């Protein structure tokens, strides 16, 4: 993991002392994006798939497939949980992880333990044969411009950050793998 997509504007340079302001800016933008109303079903599904792809993982626990997503914003966690419940009819367990260790802020953990195989298949997170999709789901990549915008919104809500506006401005999305980063770049070109 650890791949990323970073968009720098001309003349941008990272400056010391801007980190706190950048964190606040990122939080404000994520809060605003979490309130965007998405009416197209395919765009809402693309955002949900990207949110899960960039913040989540599928794993076997006691012989059962479990989907977990860890997010830094309560508003984003509520949005994802609502989408999963409303669109896919799954039960979502929500937990808040208090700050501690290297984490200076609360994290929000969402977990789906029932209907996970069907959910992952419907979102395009796994292939028909059950193998995990490496980049982004094919229906997102081949989707409309609105679907691609929604995928970018989901990726940013999951793992995005902004630097302080001004001479040094950048948008960065930490990607789970190089294929996911390339899929975002492809979506941005549409």
């Amino acid at each position: 993991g650890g791949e990323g997509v970073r968009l720098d504007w001309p003349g941008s340079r990272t400056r010391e002392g801007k980190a706190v302001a950048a964190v606040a800016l990122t939080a404000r933008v994520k809060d605003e994006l979490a309130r965007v109303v998405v009416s197209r079903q395919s765009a809402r599904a693309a955002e949900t798939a990207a949110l899960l792809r960039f913040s989540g993982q599928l794993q076997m626990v006691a012989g059962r497939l479990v989907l977990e997503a860890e997010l830094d914003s309560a508003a984003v966690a509520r949005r994802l949980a609502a989408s999963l419940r409303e669109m896919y009819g799954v039960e979502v367990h929500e937990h808040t992880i208090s700050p501690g260790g290297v984490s200076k802020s609360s994290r929000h953990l969402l977990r789906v333990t029932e209907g996970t195989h069907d959910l992952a298949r419907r979102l395009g997170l796994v292939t028909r044969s059950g193998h995990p999709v490496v980049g982004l789901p094919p229906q997102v990549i081949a989707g409309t411009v609105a679907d691609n915008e929604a995928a970018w919104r989901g990726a940013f809500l999951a793992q995005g950050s902004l630097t302080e506006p001004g001479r040094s401005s950048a948008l960065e999305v930490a990607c789970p793998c190089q294929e996911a980063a390339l899929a975002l770049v492809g979506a941005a070109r549409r």
Side-chain angles (χ1 to χ4, degrees), residues 14-177:
T14 306
R15 292 185 185 177
E16 295 289 328
K18 298 277 187 176
V20 172
V23 169
L25 176 64
T26 299
R28 283 195 323 266
V29 170
K30 284 186 178 186
D31 185 58
E32 183 177 333
L33 287 174
R35 288 183 269 129
V36 169
V37 176
V38 180
S39 55
R40 285 184 63 122
Q41 189 81 359
S42 65
R44 197 166 175 207
E47 179 184 300
T48 301
L51 265 163
L52 290 170
R53 182 68 185 97
F54 284 79
S55 70
Q57 62 180 352
L58 288 166
Q59 58 187 352
M60 293 300 286
V61 177
R64 295 173 61 177
L65 188 63
V66 174
L67 180 116
E68 289 185 341
E70 189 174 322
L71 300 153
D72 60 3
S73 163
V76 174
R78 285 190 300 272
R79 180 179 180 95
L80 177 56
S83 289
L84 290 170
R85 287 181 183 116
E86 293 166 13
M87 294 175 55
Y88 302 99
V90 295
E91 183 177 349
V92 181
H93 304 280
E94 302 177 53
H95 307 280
T96 300
I97 304 165
S98 299
V102 295
S103 177
K104 295 180 180 172
S105 60
S106 294
R107 304 285 297 163
H108 306 275
L109 180 68
L110 303 180
R111 183 177 291 138
V112 176
T113 57
E114 301 289 331
T116 312
H117 282 285
D118 186 52
L119 172 65
R121 184 189 51 74
R122 289 175 63 196
L123 282 167
L125 298 174
V126 295
T127 63
R128 285 191 175 143
S129 60
H131 294 89
V133 168
V134 183
L136 283 173
Q139 67 264 31
V140 173
I141 299 300
T144 65
V145 170
D147 296 344
N148 281 238
E149 290 170 352
W152 259 96
R153 185 173 44 254
F156 179 79
L157 288 170
Q159 291 292 327
S161 62
L162 298 169
T163 61
E164 187 64 18
R167 291 192 60 195
S168 65
S169 299
L171 177 147
E172 185 171 287
V173 176
C175 299
C177 62

